[in-house]
Amino acid sequence: MPIHTAYLHFNTTHRQEFVRITDDVAAIVKASGVRDGMALVSAMHITSGVYVNDWEEGLIHDFQVWLEKLAPAGLPYRHHQTGEDNADAHLKRTIMGHQVMLPITNGALDLGPWEQVFYAEFDGQRKKRVVVKVMGE
Amino acid sequence: MPIHTAYLHFNTTHRQEFVRITDDVAAIVKASGVRDGMALVSAMHITSGVYVNDWEEGLIHDFQVWLEKLAPAGLPYRHHQTGEDNADAHLKRTIMGHQVMLPITNGALDLGPWEQVFYAEFDGQRKKRVVVKVMGE
Amino acid sequence: MPIHTAYLHFNTTHRQEFVRITDDVAAIVKASGVRDGMALVSAMHITSGVYVNDWEEGLIHDFQVWLEKLAPAGLPYRHHQTGEDNADAHLKRTIMGHQVMLPITNGALDLGPWEQVFYAEFDGQRKKRVVVKVMGE
């Protein structure tokens, strides 16, 4: 069974930024030669996530406003006693999820018509990684 | 390694509806012939989810009330400027999760005593799909 | 393809308790002999979860305060009409997630520098299990 591993690298301009990675993952799947199987796409940092949803700027804005309401920055989080200031980023990424498993059928990602894969950065402006591991036949 | 792919189809009566799919997934696993492995169960639409929790009508009601509180319908979401009216459905499905990986042991789903698999529809009354992909030996 | 299955057992002192299980999962992966693949780590009960985040006591406290705010105990949940009193535990575990897939590369968990795996108990003081299933080469 072929198993193929690749890493995506990020260094976002803004502290919070959602980056569409569907095409990057699709390219890794194609290079893997796997025709039928699954691809794990997982953030390797604990202040960012990976999720599947719509590629529509208005909705991305809605997600960000909503996350700020559910997990606000600037509260007196106990985590900040360590010198960190990013507790809200840990919470926000928890809501969005930190990984997805993508089905592969006939050599391509088997996604619904509107499914797009995103990297969600909540504490960026530095180097981050996502691991992509493809398994199948 | 056998890999088996199937699709579940939904067209719910109500806009929001939670449908138990444990038996449907178990039947796909049995048909696959896989004795040891995993099954990915993943919504192919971005306004529905798949989750594991209790098969108890009271709790399902509690989930729905809770989601309405955390991600209300009817707010002036920016996504609605596209003509859509379902931004809350995208948010609600994000909280519930859009997919699960189910372990398979001895030819059956290896679930705890109360684990049940559900399809969570938040923008129904039209055709939707869930992909089930079984991998293993 | 080797597939290896193991179970972790818990019986927490407190009703709510987060337990770091990274080393337990790493030991199962090592014993499996899998050099390249994935490990599913999934709670088998519906009032506990498994998540990846920071091993920092302040942040764990922040998570617990935050979950209490988003999914409070003690509300008149309909689930409680069955005699249960743990509806909030079902909701809290939904936010944290009930499972993770961990990549395995070169015979070890392929985690980022701060990624730690936790079992999140929300209705403990009794026997619970987590299934770990390792697949790969």
Side-chain angles (χ1 to χ4, degrees):
Chain A
M1 184 183 61
I3 301 178
H4 187 80
T5 307
Y7 301 88
L8 298 174
H9 297 264
F10 301 88
N11 193 339
T12 58
T13 306
H14 303 286
R15 180 160 186 175
Q16 181 168 310
E17 201 169 317
F18 289 11
V19 183
R20 194 176 72 94
I21 58 173
T22 316
D23 297 342
D24 306 87
V25 176
I28 292 169
V29 167
K30 192 170 182 187
S32 76
V34 168
R35 302 279 310 161
D36 198 2
M38 301 178 193
L40 170 66
V41 185
S42 189
M44 301 186 78
H45 300 260
I46 53 187
T47 51
S48 53
V50 172
Y51 73 95
V52 167
N53 217 303
D54 204 359
W55 185 22
E56 196 279 297
E57 288 305 318
L59 187 70
I60 288 171
H61 172 84
D62 293 329
F63 265 117
Q64 294 178 342
V65 168
W66 178 66
L67 290 167
E68 197 56 43
K69 196 168 64 178
L70 291 188
L75 297 187
Y77 293 108
R78 194 171 293 183
H79 184 49
H80 295 176
Q81 295 178 8
T82 64
E84 292 284 356
D85 65 351
N86 61 2
D88 68 296
H90 294 271
L91 307 181
K92 287 176 169 105
R93 93 82 171 245
T94 300
I95 289 180
M96 296 309 289
H98 90 279
Q99 58 182 200
V100 296
M101 283 290 281
L102 303 178
I104 300 163
T105 306
N106 297 327
L109 293 176
D110 191 357
L111 299 176
W114 302 102
E115 286 190 287
Q116 295 280 345
V117 192
F118 286 88
Y119 173 71
E121 177 63 83
F122 297 107
D123 189 18
Q125 298 171 317
R126 52 201 176 95
K127 289 184 188 175
K128 298 280 192 90
R129 285 195 305 161
V130 162
V131 56
V132 181
K133 195 171 279 273
V134 184
M135 280 177 69
E137 295 287 350
Chain B
M1 185 182 62
I3 302 177
H4 187 80
T5 306
Y7 302 87
L8 298 174
H9 297 264
F10 301 88
N11 194 339
T12 59
T13 306
H14 303 287
R15 180 160 185 175
Q16 181 168 311
E17 202 169 318
F18 289 10
V19 183
R20 193 177 72 94
I21 58 172
T22 315
D23 298 342
D24 306 88
V25 176
I28 292 168
V29 167
K30 192 171 181 187
S32 76
V34 168
R35 302 279 310 161
D36 198 2
M38 301 178 193
L40 170 66
V41 185
S42 189
M44 301 187 78
H45 299 260
I46 52 185
T47 52
S48 53
V50 172
Y51 73 95
V52 167
N53 218 302
D54 205 358
W55 186 21
E56 197 279 296
E57 289 305 318
L59 187 70
I60 289 171
H61 172 83
D62 293 329
F63 265 118
Q64 294 178 343
V65 168
W66 178 65
L67 290 167
E68 198 56 42
K69 196 168 65 178
L70 290 188
L75 296 189
Y77 294 108
R78 193 171 292 183
H79 184 49
H80 296 176
Q81 295 179 8
T82 64
E84 292 284 357
D85 64 352
N86 61 3
D88 68 297
H90 295 270
L91 306 182
K92 288 176 169 106
R93 94 83 171 244
T94 300
I95 288 180
M96 296 309 289
H98 92 278
Q99 59 182 197
V100 296
M101 282 291 281
L102 303 178
I104 301 163
T105 307
N106 297 326
L109 292 176
D110 192 355
L111 299 175
W114 302 102
E115 286 190 287
Q116 295 279 346
V117 191
F118 285 88
Y119 173 70
E121 177 63 83
F122 297 107
D123 189 18
Q125 299 171 320
R126 51 201 177 95
K127 290 185 188 173
K128 299 278 193 91
R129 286 196 303 162
V130 163
V131 57
V132 182
K133 195 169 280 275
V134 184
M135 280 177 68
E137 295 287 351
Chain C
M1 184 183 63
I3 302 178
H4 188 80
T5 307
Y7 301 88
L8 298 174
H9 298 265
F10 301 88
N11 194 339
T12 58
T13 306
H14 303 286
R15 181 161 185 173
Q16 181 168 311
E17 201 170 318
F18 289 11
V19 183
R20 193 177 72 94
I21 58 172
T22 316
D23 298 341
D24 306 87
V25 176
I28 293 168
V29 167
K30 192 171 181 187
S32 76
V34 168
R35 304 278 312 161
D36 197 3
M38 301 177 193
L40 170 66
V41 185
S42 187
M44 301 186 79
H45 299 261
I46 53 185
T47 52
S48 52
V50 172
Y51 73 95
V52 167
N53 217 301
D54 204 358
W55 185 21
E56 198 278 297
E57 289 304 319
L59 187 71
I60 289 172
H61 172 84
D62 293 330
F63 265 118
Q64 294 178 342
V65 168
W66 178 65
L67 290 167
E68 197 55 44
K69 197 168 64 178
L70 290 188
L75 297 187
Y77 293 109
R78 193 171 290 184
H79 183 49
H80 295 177
Q81 295 178 8
T82 64
E84 293 283 357
D85 66 351
N86 61 2
D88 68 296
H90 294 272
L91 307 181
K92 287 176 169 107
R93 93 82 171 247
T94 300
I95 289 179
M96 296 308 290
H98 91 278
Q99 59 181 197
V100 296
M101 283 291 282
L102 303 178
I104 301 163
T105 307
N106 298 325
L109 293 176
D110 192 357
L111 299 176
W114 303 103
E115 286 190 288
Q116 295 279 345
V117 191
F118 285 88
Y119 173 71
E121 177 63 82
F122 296 107
D123 189 18
Q125 299 171 318
R126 53 200 176 96
K127 290 184 188 175
K128 299 280 193 90
R129 287 196 303 162
V130 163
V131 56
V132 181
K133 196 169 278 276
V134 184
M135 282 177 67
E137 296 287 350

